[in-house]
Amino acid sequence: MEMVVVAPPAPGKVEDLKRRFFATPLQALLSLMSLAIMAFVVWKLLDWAVFSAVFTTSGGPEACQAAAGACWSVIAARWRIILFGLYPFEEQWRSALACVAVVVMTVLSCIPAFWTGRRIALVWGAGTALYYVLMKGGVLGLSYVGEEAWGGLALTLFIFVTTCLIGFPLAVCLALLRRSELPWISRTTALIIDGVRSLPLISILFTFAIVLPFALPQWLVGDKLYRVILGSALFFSAYQAEIVRGGMQGVPAGQEEAAMALGMSYWQRISRILLPQAMRNALPATINQFVISFKETSLVVIVGFFEILASGNAAYGTGEWRFAYVEVYAFIAFIYFIFVFSLSRYGAFLERRMSVGER
Amino acid sequence: MNPGKASGPAVRIENLDKHYGTFHALRKVNLSVGRGERIVVCGPSGSGKSTVIRCINRLEQHDGGRITVLGTELNDDVANIDGIRREVGMVFQHFNLFPHMTVLENCMIAPMIVRKLPRTEAETTARRYLEKVRIPEQAMKFPGQLSGGQQQRVAIARALCMQPQIMLFDEPTSALDPEMISEVLDVMVTLASDGMTMICVTHEMGFARRVADRVVFMDGGEIVEEAPPEEFFTSCRNDRTRQFLSQILGH
Ligand SMILES: Nc1ncnc2c1ncn2[C@@H]1O[C@H](COP(=O)(O)OP(=O)(O)OP(=O)(O)O)[C@@H](O)[C@H]1O
Ligand SMILES: [Mg+2]
């Protein structure tokens, strides 16, 4: 006969709870009151979001507005605008595939097995090329869609990823230049970094999108989208450069001396000894910077791009769904959360991985 | 340039001068080290010992005099500097192992990227030298997981993996607990008996007696005295040397 052993509740836990929250009558009262408030809030939220909510579009906006809970029908009716913006309706599968391409590219380049120069270049090259061809078309029988029609999540992801792809190497270069032994190089770099950091992102985006075309020769202007990406990459790199520099300062001078004494060249010392250790030091702040940049992509709306937040505005702003803005924003917040949360979890994974051998 | 093929002394230092800002750290230092010779450099703190040996592989730049290493003069020519650094190994007081690499990788990286050795060959060499410094079983650990004495032995193995012709030691045992000093010194004695050219800054006078061909005493940025160990310890001529010796041997 088999014995089923039911583990008694760990005595330590109950004791611990008692000691922490119910030590005195006053403390017990406060604990119970907080518990009641939390339960109330959670119940209200659940009731609004799930139990009394409307999920189908069958009743139309009117039935939905009459309901006591959330009107998720607006998402069911308008998700394509939120995710793809003004992209032509029949071609939106391309935009969806392009999103997938960017996400796959990002995930692949997060996997340590891809961290060799050739593989990472391959992944990024293929990813961005695929995105560009899918979105823009004009080849392979895909109809042409200009950058001004790109929008929604597809645009947000593209701006974020390209900002990081251009901004990160630029940041490393700036950080290296800033610690140059030649004063005129390090001072000039410091001036550039501090100059960019002292400007608000909005003014940089505005300058790159609107003002730059007047200053540049026609053949150099390019599409507004790429100018905006360059501006935001510049802004990103100025902050990230300081983060990388901080990481470098945490690497003892003896490390470079040891590498020099072994005969390593400047670039070998930088790439094999200094940067790996500096990036490990700078990792938490770097992930933070990535998260901030992801959210700052929403600022491109001021130069006329419909990234996901602006598309959301358009999704409820057209009349019949006007009342359902909370649901739309909740949905967009959820999408932001998914990306930002994965990013932080990935940061935590990297920290664990890199802390091997540290003591 | 082809260091090592030329004949003559391993290191020749003539009228070496070095300033840190306005501070005159080395004053007209002259020293010649033959191939296979073992030199011990000692002297009070701040006397310029580290500065001298760091000038030999150009971790510091001298501003007067000449340094010739394996027949090549050290100047601003980067190719010369890199060539010399390949042939001159260095062991530091604080080990300076690369903390983000395993012990084995620490020993393999320079042979692979500087000497362009294939991975398998670099690994064989690395394991051979780890064996030689008596820690083959630690190959897969990270430096942070080793004791100070073990780390310093890895540092010696790392330098040896480049198959240098000259080894520089800058107080290799002064950051170690007393019980670990001998394990490092033992390795250095073995190395000396293999005929390696060694320049060691150390205050381990037992080691100096045992292996040094010459002991050099520095004070105030100058070489004050230079003699074979038995003569150095028994009949040194200079007051400063005598005072220094009584301080470190005195109790
Ligand atoms: N980077 C530097 N900048 C300024 N002064 C320095 C620098 N390095 C060394 N010095 C000075 O040069 C002198 C010689 O230094 P060095 O490190 O060669 O002494 P040392 O004999 O090795 O002493 P120790 O036994 O303490 O290691 C010291 O007075 C020191 O203060
Ligand atoms: Mg010293």
Side-chain angles (χ1 to χ4, degrees):
Chain A
M1 194 185 123
E2 264 182 50
M3 291 281 289
V4 179
V5 182
V6 179
K13 260 189 187 157
V14 177
E15 292 300 307
D16 195 43
L17 272 182
K18 260 193 194 157
R19 193 173 47 76
R20 277 170 191 258
F21 300 110
F22 297 94
T24 65
L26 178 66
Q27 218 180 359
L29 185 71
L30 284 177
S31 300
L32 286 177
M33 269 169 58
S34 325
L35 210 63
I37 294 175
M38 277 195 293
F40 180 74
V41 168
V42 169
W43 163 251
K44 274 288 175 197
L45 256 179
L46 272 179
D47 182 49
W48 176 81
V50 183
F51 303 132
S52 311
V54 181
F55 290 94
T56 58
T57 45
S58 54
E62 294 77 21
C64 203
Q65 191 167 14
C71 173
W72 296 120
S73 323
V74 64
I75 310 298
R78 298 305 202 134
W79 62 273
R80 293 180 71 141
I81 290 197
I82 299 177
L83 293 188
F84 307 126
L86 302 175
Y87 207 79
F89 194 80
E90 304 74 42
E91 305 289 336
Q92 284 177 359
W93 60 272
R94 280 161 53 183
S95 198
L97 272 186
C99 282
V100 173
V102 170
V103 170
V104 168
M105 166 173 96
T106 314
V107 170
L108 284 186
S109 50
C110 286
I111 299 173
F114 281 87
W115 294 347
T116 65
R118 196 175 326 151
R119 285 186 197 165
I120 216 89
L122 193 73
V123 167
W124 288 349
T128 38
L130 197 59
Y131 179 95
Y132 185 77
V133 169
L134 277 169
M135 288 299 278
K136 187 140 185 182
V139 288
L140 304 171
L142 299 172
S143 62
Y144 175 86
V145 181
E147 279 89 352
E148 66 286 349
W150 301 4
L153 181 64
L155 185 65
T156 295
L157 286 180
F158 184 65
I159 294 178
F160 170 64
V161 168
T162 46
T163 295
C164 297
L165 285 191
I166 301 169
F168 199 86
L170 193 58
V172 172
C173 291
L174 287 176
L176 288 175
L177 288 176
R178 181 148 190 190
R179 67 193 279 286
S180 160
E181 276 162 18
L182 304 174
W184 61 274
I185 292 188
S186 57
R187 295 233 181 91
T188 316
T189 318
L191 203 66
I192 294 174
I193 292 175
D194 291 341
V196 173
R197 287 199 307 167
S198 65
L199 297 171
L201 176 56
I202 293 201
S203 70
I204 290 182
L205 293 181
F206 200 76
T207 309
F208 273 73
I210 316 291
V211 181
L212 217 53
F214 295 111
L216 289 179
Q218 196 54 43
W219 56 271
L220 234 170
V221 170
D223 191 84
K224 186 166 75 175
L225 177 60
Y226 305 111
R227 272 180 277 128
V228 165
I229 287 173
L230 277 185
S232 106
L234 182 67
F235 189 74
F236 174 85
S237 66
Y239 280 86
Q240 183 60 30
E242 287 298 282
I243 294 175
V244 174
R245 187 170 72 100
M248 287 175 180
Q249 281 172 343
V251 180
Q255 291 290 309
E256 266 214 278
E257 287 181 357
M260 276 195 239
L262 287 166
M264 292 189 203
S265 68
Y266 176 79
W267 286 112
Q268 289 172 337
R269 298 198 302 265
I270 297 295
S271 63
R272 302 303 192 98
I273 308 301
L274 184 66
L275 276 183
Q277 294 184 59
M279 286 323 298
R280 179 203 263 180
N281 298 343
L283 187 68
T286 301
I287 294 290
N288 196 30
Q289 190 58 37
F290 273 83
V291 168
I292 292 174
S293 307
F294 187 78
K295 294 192 280 194
E296 276 176 345
T297 53
S298 59
L299 290 179
V300 299
V301 67
I302 67 131
V303 289
F305 284 110
F306 280 80
E307 47 65 64
I308 189 163
L309 206 55
S311 310
N313 280 334
Y316 72 79
T318 50
E320 43 179 6
W321 294 105
R322 193 168 288 267
F323 62 91
Y325 58 90
V326 176
E327 288 82 350
V328 170
Y329 283 129
F331 179 66
I332 294 173
F334 180 66
I335 293 178
Y336 271 106
F337 175 79
I338 290 176
F339 282 98
V340 170
F341 190 70
S342 332
L343 209 55
S344 345
R345 293 324 300 161
Y346 177 64
F349 156 78
L350 275 188
E351 268 180 59
R352 270 198 310 281
R353 184 188 138 88
M354 288 182 171
S355 69
V356 175
E358 225 174 50
R359 215 174 49 171
Chain B
M1 190 204 81
N2 192 358
K5 294 289 178 284
S7 56
V11 178
R12 174 181 288 148
I13 298 173
E14 295 158 285
N15 291 325
L16 183 64
D17 256 306
K18 166 79 186 163
H19 292 79
Y20 289 112
T22 55
F23 179 73
H24 203 166
L26 294 181
R27 301 159 191 268
K28 300 263 177 283
V29 170
N30 284 286
L31 182 67
S32 181
V33 182
R35 284 166 200 262
E37 206 177 4
R38 276 95 52 175
I39 306 287
V40 162
V41 182
C42 60
S45 181
S47 56
K49 311 177 297 287
S50 300
T51 308
V52 168
I53 71 166
R54 287 161 60 86
C55 281
I56 296 175
N57 64 353
R58 195 78 167 186
L59 290 185
E60 299 289 355
Q61 212 164 321
H62 57 283
D63 38 43
R66 277 158 60 99
I67 304 178
T68 314
V69 181
L70 299 166
T72 307
E73 187 181 340
L74 269 179
N75 47 28
D76 287 331
D77 187 339
V78 179
N80 279 2
I81 296 172
D82 283 347
I84 284 170
R85 282 177 181 166
R86 278 198 285 273
E87 303 300 330
V88 179
M90 183 158 191
V91 174
F92 300 85
Q93 180 174 0
H94 296 287
F95 330 136
N96 298 355
L97 293 175
F98 306 131
H100 58 301
M101 301 178 187
T102 62
V103 164
L104 191 64
E105 287 166 343
N106 262 281
C107 295
M108 287 166 61
I109 181 150
M112 278 171 63
I113 67 177
V114 178
R115 288 237 190 256
K116 310 274 186 256
L117 238 55
R119 174 172 279 276
T120 49
E121 206 173 313
E123 183 169 343
T124 323
T125 317
R127 290 198 186 273
R128 190 168 81 237
Y129 281 111
L130 286 175
E131 191 103 29
K132 193 172 169 112
V133 300
R134 299 183 209 118
I135 35 174
E137 71 286 354
Q138 313 283 8
M140 287 309 170
K141 287 198 181 162
F142 284 89
Q145 298 167 317
L146 304 183
S147 75
Q150 291 173 324
Q151 290 193 46
Q152 193 60 297
R153 284 184 283 151
V154 172
I156 295 175
R158 175 178 71 177
L160 291 177
C161 282
M162 281 295 283
Q163 320 243 342
Q165 303 186 38
I166 303 171
M167 284 286 284
L168 309 175
F169 293 83
D170 190 0
E171 307 204 31
T173 55
S174 28
L176 297 177
D177 293 338
E179 71 269 21
M180 294 174 184
I181 291 180
S182 66
E183 63 188 52
V184 171
L185 289 181
D186 285 348
V187 168
M188 289 170 64
V189 170
T190 321
L191 199 58
S193 62
D194 290 348
M196 175 66 78
T197 309
M198 292 164 72
I199 305 177
C200 313
V201 175
T202 182
H203 293 157
E204 296 296 332
M205 291 303 142
F207 173 79
R209 266 208 186 93
R210 231 170 115 191
V211 306
D213 295 312
R214 259 185 301 152
V215 180
V216 171
F217 175 74
M218 289 187 68
D219 192 15
E222 293 171 311
I223 291 185
V224 176
E225 185 135 8
E226 191 182 333
E230 58 279 12
E231 189 185 327
F232 182 82
F233 289 115
T234 51
S235 55
C236 50
R237 295 173 289 261
N238 191 288
D239 280 346
R240 283 188 283 179
T241 318
R242 255 199 299 277
Q243 191 189 353
F244 175 76
L245 280 179
S246 74
Q247 270 167 5
I248 63 167
L249 300 173
H251 26 246

